Amino acid sequence: MESRMKSKSLKRYVFAIILISVLKTSSCVTHYSIPEELDVGFIVANFANDLGLDVETLSRRKIRLDTIANKKYLDISKETGELFIVERIDREHICTTKAAAACVLKLDATIENPVRMFNIELEILDINDNAPHFRRDTMHLDISESTPVGERFSLNNAVDPDIGVNSIKTYYLSESEHFSIEIQTGRDGSKFTDLILTKALDREEQAIHNLILTAVDGGVPARSGTASIIVRVLDTNDNAPQFDEDSYTIHLTENSPTGSLVFKINATDKDEGSNSDLFYSYSLYTSEKTQQTFSLNPDNGEIRVKEIVNYEDFRVYDMEVIATDKGLNSLSGKCKVKILITDMNDNHPEISIKSLSSPVKEDIAVNSVIAVVSVSDKDSGENGQVDIHISDDLPFALKESSDNYYELLVSEPLDREKVPEYDITITVTDRGNPPLSDNETITLELLDINDNVPQFPQTFYTIPVMENNAPGALLSSLTAIDPDLHENQYLVYFIIEKEIVNTSMSMLFSINPENGNLYALKTFDYEIEKEFLFHIEARDSGVPPLSSNVTVHIIIMDQNDNTPLIVSPWRAHGSVVEEKIPRSTDKGTLIAKVIAIDSDSVHNSRITYQFLHNTDATLFSLDQYNGEIRTMRMFSYRDSRHQQLVVIAKDNGEPALSATVTIKLSTVETALKSYADMTEVPLGYDIFSDINLYLVIGLGSVSFLLLITILVTIVLKCQKTKPSKAAPPCRNSVISERNSTIADSTLVSNDAYWYSLFLAETRKGKLVVRQPVPKGARYVVSSLPRSTGLTETSDSAASTLQAQ
């Protein structure tokens, strides 16, 4: 048996590397080095020779070797004194810590007679007996077809329990035109890899990519392990989240309160729906210390203080944040955030108001001082230097008067009506990083001065007033506005006096001095007074008082309160007019002309004529506009000798007023001397009948009244302060234009049988009748003026018919 063991040991010594250190004293340590995984029975060394022991006495002295953890890896032959392996030695099993510098088994050998103890150290050398392996045999990656080239994907790294050159050396990826890998080395020397997209993916060309990742160690011969990578190409979510910046540098003051916002990172995804909803997370490259100090909100990317930060403990925090969308095949983007902790500026500047003038008058001069302010900051350096300012929108300015003392000045004119009170916020800010600030608000009240003139909404008021108004009637309310306060806005209203025909305006109108209500003090008559023009003044109660005035134009509106007056034919006795006409009168002959006048306004004074009674409707016609009564046919023997016509003259008012006249016509058979044969022959005084007498008396009275009216009108016009406005259109005639007969102004007619009845013309007590000029001549009839009514019409000369 011994010879067999010796032959084996000789063979194994060829492959083993044995380092033997032999010390002759019992207190020394005997050190051996062997590779792991040697066969059972392998002779490590001749322990007895190394220690100088007598081989013959080993059995008697009961040499023995201790067990380790209930395992006996080695033993000593009592016959030969050789140290040999009795159980498989696995370095990775015995020394589980990979980072250990050496794997050493410590044994104690004991002999008796006398008792001696020997210390043995057996170093187990690593051999490449373990192949690299991945924690997961298959890795699944879902990659969108829109993933940009160069995108990185973290892969699970392989592990190898061997150490040194026998550990993982490199990685290989199966041939692929779309992917490659990049190998990185960690601080502990471990190697890991990222999958890199080298060519854009197209799901329509290839939906699945099967890759083989191989990890190879550095042993001889080399060992390897593989993992399958299955890449699924997604057709939708083809936009990865992107951060606004690739890296951020943030300054954070120490002692920031827990939960305070440090920074909010923002990533965007151009996709829609769930593909654009993002959540944020730390990457594997973010240290545990950083994750303990700062929290990252996965929904909105807010980075907040999780633990109190201390500048003296840690000044820089590096983190890598991943933004991942919520699509079916999520994509992610990365950014780096560096947080720099700065020393805290922990003293706020202070403001003190030394003096303040409030309230002040609104007319305070520009550059006047209204307050003195002092500022201070307990910090030093830039943290103790302060800047003071107020809003640029305020009409004030700050001026430094001495160190840390400032004057608050008025920089622009003030107006209480625009801004009655100012809240002035003075802000002081130090120059620390970040800066601290404080503010103080002072209230400046403005006192009113009488600097605003009362203003009427209009500069000219036109007020229509219906005639026959009740005395004391409210005409209008003329109210002015004054934006001042108190007595400066209390207004009093006056009528500026103006006399009209020895009558002051205050006798015609009254105004309430408190509210500006304008009243009429009398009843107005349109036929006498048509308009008034005067001024009203509004005056405040300030010192000195301010005032403004407005022009008021009162227009008297006409009512239909005058009945038409029939002036032709003249009615001497009662209302019946008797006329005689030849029975041989031709068709269309003018029998009579009814003329009525109305002193109302143009609209109300339009007269129309109608028959109320006509003995024979086929014999006579009446023009409704000019009142002419003409024959419609020649008389026949059947017609009555006496005809009675009742004519009504009606105005255009509402309701209409009217007057009537009755004309009795008698036909005569005897041939009277025709008007055409008559010449201008004076009639004897013996024919000056009662009718003529009444006519003369009436004309004289009317002429006298007309003269008085003209004189009064001239006096009134002369007393006006300024020329009155254009008078209303005159009533040119009481005769309306109808079928080219008599017009409103001057009428020209070619009718050879035109006869005009002149009732008002007398000459030296004789009635004059003018015969017509020969046929074909033109007659001009001068019209009656409309403006003065009955008086002027009665006084005016009778219309004159002249041949042209």
Side-chain angles (χ1 to χ4, degrees), residues 737-779:
E737 181 179 358
R738 178 72 173 178
N739 297 330
S740 300
T741 55
I742 300 178
D744 281 349
S745 57
T746 302
L747 174 70
V748 179
S749 175
N750 290 324
D751 191 353
Y753 297 98
W754 173 261
Y755 292 95
S756 178
L757 186 60
F758 301 93
L759 302 178
E761 184 174 355
T762 58
R763 182 179 298 172
K764 296 180 181 180
K766 296 181 181 180
L767 180 64
V768 178
V769 179
R770 296 177 183 266
Q771 65 180 8
V773 296
K775 184 175 182 180
R778 302 178 66 197
Y779 297 85

Tab-separated table of all heavy atoms in Angstrom, residues 737-779:
chain	number	residue	atom	x	y	z
A	737	GLU	N	-100.438	125.235	-52.956
A	737	GLU	CA	-100.271	125.005	-54.377
A	737	GLU	C	-101.150	123.838	-54.809
A	737	GLU	O	-101.111	122.770	-54.249
A	737	GLU	CB	-98.805	124.694	-54.669
A	737	GLU	CG	-98.525	124.472	-56.136
A	737	GLU	CD	-97.073	124.194	-56.386
A	737	GLU	OE1	-96.313	124.221	-55.422
A	737	GLU	OE2	-96.721	123.960	-57.546
A	738	ARG	N	-101.907	124.003	-55.812
A	738	ARG	CA	-102.791	122.935	-56.301
A	738	ARG	C	-103.021	123.131	-57.784
A	738	ARG	O	-103.614	124.122	-58.210
A	738	ARG	CB	-104.138	123.007	-55.552
A	738	ARG	CG	-105.154	121.991	-55.998
A	738	ARG	CD	-104.777	120.605	-55.533
A	738	ARG	NE	-105.836	119.650	-55.818
A	738	ARG	CZ	-105.742	118.378	-55.558
A	738	ARG	NH1	-104.647	117.919	-55.006
A	738	ARG	NH2	-106.717	117.536	-55.852
A	739	ASN	N	-102.549	122.224	-58.588
A	739	ASN	CA	-102.793	122.212	-60.028
A	739	ASN	C	-102.439	123.532	-60.676
A	739	ASN	O	-103.221	124.105	-61.438
A	739	ASN	CB	-104.255	121.866	-60.316
A	739	ASN	CG	-104.607	120.468	-59.835
A	739	ASN	OD1	-103.742	119.603	-59.805
A	739	ASN	ND2	-105.850	120.264	-59.458
A	740	SER	N	-101.251	124.061	-60.349
A	740	SER	CA	-100.732	125.283	-60.978
A	740	SER	C	-101.680	126.452	-60.825
A	740	SER	O	-101.884	127.228	-61.734
A	740	SER	CB	-100.438	125.050	-62.463
A	740	SER	OG	-99.486	124.055	-62.620
A	741	THR	N	-102.269	126.617	-59.625
A	741	THR	CA	-103.141	127.769	-59.393
A	741	THR	C	-102.420	128.803	-58.582
A	741	THR	O	-101.841	129.725	-59.143
A	741	THR	CB	-104.442	127.312	-58.712
A	741	THR	OG1	-104.080	126.616	-57.532
A	741	THR	CG2	-105.229	126.398	-59.619
A	742	ILE	N	-102.394	128.647	-57.212
A	742	ILE	CA	-101.693	129.611	-56.363
A	742	ILE	C	-100.685	128.855	-55.540
A	742	ILE	O	-101.048	127.945	-54.817
A	742	ILE	CB	-102.679	130.369	-55.461
A	742	ILE	CG1	-103.684	131.133	-56.309
A	742	ILE	CG2	-101.950	131.315	-54.518
A	742	ILE	CD1	-104.723	131.865	-55.515
A	743	ALA	N	-99.410	129.208	-55.586
A	743	ALA	CA	-98.336	128.485	-54.904
A	743	ALA	C	-98.098	129.078	-53.535
A	743	ALA	O	-98.663	130.104	-53.179
A	743	ALA	CB	-97.076	128.532	-55.742
A	744	ASP	N	-97.166	128.393	-52.738
A	744	ASP	CA	-96.829	128.898	-51.414
A	744	ASP	C	-96.065	130.206	-51.502
A	744	ASP	O	-96.111	131.014	-50.599
A	744	ASP	CB	-95.970	127.882	-50.663
A	744	ASP	CG	-96.832	126.776	-50.092
A	744	ASP	OD1	-98.047	126.940	-50.122
A	744	ASP	OD2	-96.265	125.764	-49.652
A	745	SER	N	-95.288	130.399	-52.527
A	745	SER	CA	-94.564	131.666	-52.654
A	745	SER	C	-95.181	132.476	-53.767
A	745	SER	O	-96.300	132.956	-53.645
A	745	SER	CB	-93.099	131.368	-52.890
A	745	SER	OG	-92.938	130.559	-54.019
A	746	THR	N	-94.527	132.617	-54.872
A	746	THR	CA	-95.028	133.411	-55.999
A	746	THR	C	-95.469	132.480	-57.108
A	746	THR	O	-94.735	131.601	-57.493
A	746	THR	CB	-93.944	134.361	-56.511
A	746	THR	OG1	-93.541	135.197	-55.432
A	746	THR	CG2	-94.467	135.206	-57.642
A	747	LEU	N	-96.662	132.706	-57.624
A	747	LEU	CA	-97.270	131.813	-58.601
A	747	LEU	C	-97.442	132.538	-59.922
A	747	LEU	O	-97.867	133.686	-59.952
A	747	LEU	CB	-98.631	131.304	-58.075
A	747	LEU	CG	-99.446	130.466	-59.039
A	747	LEU	CD1	-98.771	129.121	-59.219
A	747	LEU	CD2	-100.852	130.280	-58.520
A	748	VAL	N	-97.108	131.865	-60.989
A	748	VAL	CA	-97.319	132.400	-62.333
A	748	VAL	C	-98.304	131.504	-63.047
A	748	VAL	O	-98.136	130.301	-63.077
A	748	VAL	CB	-95.999	132.476	-63.112
A	748	VAL	CG1	-96.230	133.000	-64.502
A	748	VAL	CG2	-95.019	133.372	-62.375
A	749	SER	N	-99.343	132.056	-63.604
A	749	SER	CA	-100.388	131.284	-64.282
A	749	SER	C	-100.642	131.864	-65.652
A	749	SER	O	-100.545	133.065	-65.870
A	749	SER	CB	-101.668	131.272	-63.445
A	749	SER	OG	-102.686	130.620	-64.149
A	750	ASN	N	-100.985	130.984	-66.616
A	750	ASN	CA	-101.288	131.395	-67.982
A	750	ASN	C	-102.776	131.374	-68.276
A	750	ASN	O	-103.191	131.512	-69.409
A	750	ASN	CB	-100.582	130.473	-68.968
A	750	ASN	CG	-99.071	130.696	-68.939
A	750	ASN	OD1	-98.648	131.832	-68.764
A	750	ASN	ND2	-98.313	129.624	-69.109
A	751	ASP	N	-103.575	131.178	-67.249
A	751	ASP	CA	-105.023	131.097	-67.455
A	751	ASP	C	-105.576	132.483	-67.795
A	751	ASP	O	-105.485	133.417	-66.985
A	751	ASP	CB	-105.705	130.551	-66.201
A	751	ASP	CG	-107.146	130.194	-66.452
A	751	ASP	OD1	-107.638	130.495	-67.537
A	751	ASP	OD2	-107.774	129.613	-65.546
A	752	ALA	N	-106.112	132.614	-68.970
A	752	ALA	CA	-106.648	133.931	-69.410
A	752	ALA	C	-107.890	134.315	-68.645
A	752	ALA	O	-108.273	135.498	-68.616
A	752	ALA	CB	-106.957	133.896	-70.907
A	753	TYR	N	-108.557	133.334	-68.009
A	753	TYR	CA	-109.796	133.627	-67.282
A	753	TYR	C	-109.588	133.684	-65.789
A	753	TYR	O	-110.498	133.425	-64.998
A	753	TYR	CB	-110.852	132.554	-67.623
A	753	TYR	CG	-111.236	132.552	-69.087
A	753	TYR	CD1	-110.652	131.633	-69.946
A	753	TYR	CD2	-112.133	133.490	-69.584
A	753	TYR	CE1	-110.973	131.629	-71.294
A	753	TYR	CE2	-112.451	133.472	-70.935
A	753	TYR	CZ	-111.895	132.557	-71.793
A	753	TYR	OH	-112.198	132.544	-73.102
A	754	TRP	N	-108.302	133.910	-65.428
A	754	TRP	CA	-107.993	133.985	-63.989
A	754	TRP	C	-108.468	135.309	-63.440
A	754	TRP	O	-108.137	136.360	-63.932
A	754	TRP	CB	-106.484	133.819	-63.798
A	754	TRP	CG	-106.032	134.036	-62.374
A	754	TRP	CD1	-105.499	135.149	-61.852
A	754	TRP	CD2	-106.128	133.105	-61.323
A	754	TRP	NE1	-105.226	134.995	-60.549
A	754	TRP	CE2	-105.620	133.722	-60.181
A	754	TRP	CE3	-106.616	131.796	-61.235
A	754	TRP	CZ2	-105.553	133.088	-58.964
A	754	TRP	CZ3	-106.525	131.187	-60.026
A	754	TRP	CH2	-106.011	131.820	-58.894
A	755	TYR	N	-109.283	135.237	-62.408
A	755	TYR	CA	-109.759	136.441	-61.714
A	755	TYR	C	-109.355	136.334	-60.262
A	755	TYR	O	-109.512	135.291	-59.659
A	755	TYR	CB	-111.290	136.561	-61.805
A	755	TYR	CG	-111.785	136.846	-63.221
A	755	TYR	CD1	-112.193	135.809	-64.035
A	755	TYR	CD2	-111.809	138.152	-63.704
A	755	TYR	CE1	-112.623	136.049	-65.322
A	755	TYR	CE2	-112.255	138.382	-64.996
A	755	TYR	CZ	-112.664	137.350	-65.798
A	755	TYR	OH	-113.096	137.578	-67.054
A	756	SER	N	-108.834	137.381	-59.749
A	756	SER	CA	-108.455	137.410	-58.334
A	756	SER	C	-109.359	138.369	-57.609
A	756	SER	O	-109.610	139.469	-58.099
A	756	SER	CB	-107.008	137.840	-58.199
A	756	SER	OG	-106.666	137.909	-56.847
A	757	LEU	N	-109.834	137.882	-56.515
A	757	LEU	CA	-110.760	138.671	-55.709
A	757	LEU	C	-109.959	139.476	-54.700
A	757	LEU	O	-109.314	138.927	-53.829
A	757	LEU	CB	-111.737	137.733	-54.983
A	757	LEU	CG	-112.865	138.425	-54.213
A	757	LEU	CD1	-113.713	139.270	-55.147
A	757	LEU	CD2	-113.713	137.371	-53.521
A	758	PHE	N	-109.963	140.781	-54.825
A	758	PHE	CA	-109.249	141.679	-53.928
A	758	PHE	C	-110.276	142.333	-53.012
A	758	PHE	O	-111.070	143.167	-53.462
A	758	PHE	CB	-108.492	142.768	-54.703
A	758	PHE	CG	-107.481	142.199	-55.658
A	758	PHE	CD1	-107.824	141.954	-56.980
A	758	PHE	CD2	-106.218	141.906	-55.241
A	758	PHE	CE1	-106.881	141.431	-57.838
A	758	PHE	CE2	-105.298	141.388	-56.097
A	758	PHE	CZ	-105.631	141.150	-57.404
A	759	LEU	N	-110.257	141.875	-51.769
A	759	LEU	CA	-111.262	142.361	-50.835
A	759	LEU	C	-110.737	143.465	-49.932
A	759	LEU	O	-111.521	144.164	-49.308
A	759	LEU	CB	-111.740	141.186	-49.960
A	759	LEU	CG	-112.325	139.990	-50.718
A	759	LEU	CD1	-112.704	138.909	-49.726
A	759	LEU	CD2	-113.542	140.402	-51.504
A	760	ALA	N	-109.393	143.512	-49.801
A	760	ALA	CA	-108.854	144.418	-48.809
A	760	ALA	C	-108.297	145.701	-49.396
A	760	ALA	O	-107.687	146.489	-48.688
A	760	ALA	CB	-107.773	143.708	-48.027
A	761	GLU	N	-108.419	145.894	-50.719
A	761	GLU	CA	-107.797	147.086	-51.328
A	761	GLU	C	-108.836	148.187	-51.531
A	761	GLU	O	-109.877	147.973	-52.137
A	761	GLU	CB	-107.160	146.712	-52.661
A	761	GLU	CG	-106.417	147.888	-53.292
A	761	GLU	CD	-105.672	147.450	-54.537
A	761	GLU	OE1	-105.689	146.276	-54.799
A	761	GLU	OE2	-105.103	148.293	-55.223
A	762	THR	N	-108.565	149.328	-51.037
A	762	THR	CA	-109.416	150.515	-51.241
A	762	THR	C	-108.530	151.668	-51.668
A	762	THR	O	-107.353	151.709	-51.335
A	762	THR	CB	-110.166	150.900	-49.955
A	762	THR	OG1	-109.211	151.151	-48.934
A	762	THR	CG2	-111.089	149.777	-49.506
A	763	ARG	N	-109.057	152.512	-52.359
A	763	ARG	CA	-108.299	153.686	-52.799
A	763	ARG	C	-109.219	154.895	-52.746
A	763	ARG	O	-110.140	155.005	-53.538
A	763	ARG	CB	-107.766	153.481	-54.206
A	763	ARG	CG	-106.910	154.653	-54.727
A	763	ARG	CD	-106.389	154.384	-56.111
A	763	ARG	NE	-105.535	153.225	-56.098
A	763	ARG	CZ	-105.063	152.667	-57.200
A	763	ARG	NH1	-105.380	153.145	-58.375
A	763	ARG	NH2	-104.301	151.609	-57.112
A	764	LYS	N	-108.943	155.739	-51.791
A	764	LYS	CA	-109.686	156.998	-51.647
A	764	LYS	C	-111.176	156.740	-51.516
A	764	LYS	O	-111.990	157.422	-52.121
A	764	LYS	CB	-109.412	157.929	-52.820
A	764	LYS	CG	-107.946	158.374	-52.912
A	764	LYS	CD	-107.729	159.293	-54.082
A	764	LYS	CE	-106.281	159.699	-54.188
A	764	LYS	NZ	-106.033	160.596	-55.334
A	765	GLY	N	-111.508	155.737	-50.771
A	765	GLY	CA	-112.929	155.499	-50.525
A	765	GLY	C	-113.647	154.825	-51.637
A	765	GLY	O	-114.868	154.677	-51.586
A	766	LYS	N	-112.925	154.384	-52.653
A	766	LYS	CA	-113.563	153.752	-53.794
A	766	LYS	C	-113.068	152.323	-53.906
A	766	LYS	O	-111.903	152.048	-53.694
A	766	LYS	CB	-113.225	154.503	-55.092
A	766	LYS	CG	-113.777	155.934	-55.116
A	766	LYS	CD	-113.447	156.615	-56.419
A	766	LYS	CE	-113.984	158.060	-56.455
A	766	LYS	NZ	-113.672	158.749	-57.719
A	767	LEU	N	-113.940	151.430	-54.264
A	767	LEU	CA	-113.589	150.041	-54.502
A	767	LEU	C	-113.083	149.916	-55.918
A	767	LEU	O	-113.755	150.323	-56.852
A	767	LEU	CB	-114.809	149.131	-54.286
A	767	LEU	CG	-114.564	147.647	-54.510
A	767	LEU	CD1	-113.564	147.126	-53.497
A	767	LEU	CD2	-115.876	146.887	-54.391
A	768	VAL	N	-111.875	149.380	-56.058
A	768	VAL	CA	-111.238	149.296	-57.363
A	768	VAL	C	-111.270	147.852	-57.824
A	768	VAL	O	-110.891	146.944	-57.094
A	768	VAL	CB	-109.780	149.795	-57.300
A	768	VAL	CG1	-109.116	149.651	-58.656
A	768	VAL	CG2	-109.746	151.238	-56.838
A	769	VAL	N	-111.712	147.651	-59.026
A	769	VAL	CA	-111.717	146.331	-59.646
A	769	VAL	C	-110.863	146.417	-60.901
A	769	VAL	O	-111.139	147.251	-61.764
A	769	VAL	CB	-113.141	145.859	-59.983
A	769	VAL	CG1	-113.093	144.498	-60.637
A	769	VAL	CG2	-113.991	145.824	-58.733
A	770	ARG	N	-109.834	145.542	-61.034
A	770	ARG	CA	-108.944	145.573	-62.192
A	770	ARG	C	-109.407	144.535	-63.188
A	770	ARG	O	-109.702	143.403	-62.835
A	770	ARG	CB	-107.500	145.290	-61.773
A	770	ARG	CG	-106.919	146.361	-60.849
A	770	ARG	CD	-105.508	145.962	-60.437
A	770	ARG	NE	-104.946	146.904	-59.502
A	770	ARG	CZ	-104.189	147.941	-59.847
A	770	ARG	NH1	-103.912	148.134	-61.107
A	770	ARG	NH2	-103.723	148.770	-58.935
A	771	GLN	N	-109.449	144.947	-64.436
A	771	GLN	CA	-109.819	143.997	-65.479
A	771	GLN	C	-108.589	143.214	-65.923
A	771	GLN	O	-107.481	143.697	-65.833
A	771	GLN	CB	-110.421	144.738	-66.666
A	771	GLN	CG	-109.423	145.667	-67.386
A	771	GLN	CD	-110.081	146.385	-68.550
A	771	GLN	OE1	-111.287	146.291	-68.694
A	771	GLN	NE2	-109.297	147.071	-69.362
A	772	PRO	N	-108.783	141.996	-66.391
A	772	PRO	CA	-107.624	141.186	-66.815
A	772	PRO	C	-107.028	141.719	-68.097
A	772	PRO	O	-107.703	142.378	-68.872
A	772	PRO	CB	-108.225	139.800	-66.996
A	772	PRO	CG	-109.663	140.054	-67.309
A	772	PRO	CD	-110.072	141.265	-66.513
A	773	VAL	N	-105.770	141.411	-68.270
A	773	VAL	CA	-105.087	141.790	-69.504
A	773	VAL	C	-105.477	140.800	-70.574
A	773	VAL	O	-106.139	139.794	-70.313
A	773	VAL	CB	-103.567	141.779	-69.284
A	773	VAL	CG1	-103.193	142.822	-68.254
A	773	VAL	CG2	-103.104	140.397	-68.851
A	774	PRO	N	-105.127	141.070	-71.797
A	774	PRO	CA	-105.528	140.176	-72.894
A	774	PRO	C	-105.059	138.743	-72.675
A	774	PRO	O	-104.117	138.482	-71.950
A	774	PRO	CB	-104.863	140.811	-74.119
A	774	PRO	CG	-104.658	142.234	-73.742
A	774	PRO	CD	-104.440	142.273	-72.276
A	775	LYS	N	-105.741	137.842	-73.379
A	775	LYS	CA	-105.470	136.401	-73.273
A	775	LYS	C	-104.017	136.100	-73.656
A	775	LYS	O	-103.509	136.637	-74.618
A	775	LYS	CB	-106.423	135.637	-74.197
A	775	LYS	CG	-106.284	134.122	-74.073
A	775	LYS	CD	-107.327	133.431	-74.898
A	775	LYS	CE	-107.249	131.931	-74.751
A	775	LYS	NZ	-108.273	131.232	-75.551
A	776	GLY	N	-103.435	135.216	-72.869
A	776	GLY	CA	-102.037	134.847	-73.110
A	776	GLY	C	-101.056	135.568	-72.224
A	776	GLY	O	-99.897	135.212	-72.176
A	777	ALA	N	-101.547	136.646	-71.516
A	777	ALA	CA	-100.629	137.345	-70.627
A	777	ALA	C	-100.403	136.523	-69.366
A	777	ALA	O	-101.182	135.633	-69.045
A	777	ALA	CB	-101.196	138.723	-70.269
A	778	ARG	N	-99.318	136.838	-68.618
A	778	ARG	CA	-98.984	136.106	-67.397
A	778	ARG	C	-99.285	136.984	-66.204
A	778	ARG	O	-98.998	138.165	-66.209
A	778	ARG	CB	-97.509	135.711	-67.393
A	778	ARG	CG	-97.098	134.865	-68.580
A	778	ARG	CD	-95.633	134.559	-68.547
A	778	ARG	NE	-95.333	133.709	-67.399
A	778	ARG	CZ	-94.103	133.553	-66.922
A	778	ARG	NH1	-93.106	134.176	-67.502
A	778	ARG	NH2	-93.892	132.766	-65.877
A	779	TYR	N	-99.859	136.373	-65.198
A	779	TYR	CA	-100.240	137.106	-63.983
A	779	TYR	C	-99.362	136.645	-62.835
A	779	TYR	O	-99.128	135.457	-62.662
A	779	TYR	CB	-101.714	136.860	-63.628
A	779	TYR	CG	-102.679	137.380	-64.708
A	779	TYR	CD1	-103.006	136.601	-65.808
A	779	TYR	CD2	-103.213	138.648	-64.588
A	779	TYR	CE1	-103.862	137.054	-66.773
A	779	TYR	CE2	-104.081	139.108	-65.563
A	779	TYR	CZ	-104.411	138.326	-66.651
A	779	TYR	OH	-105.267	138.778	-67.601
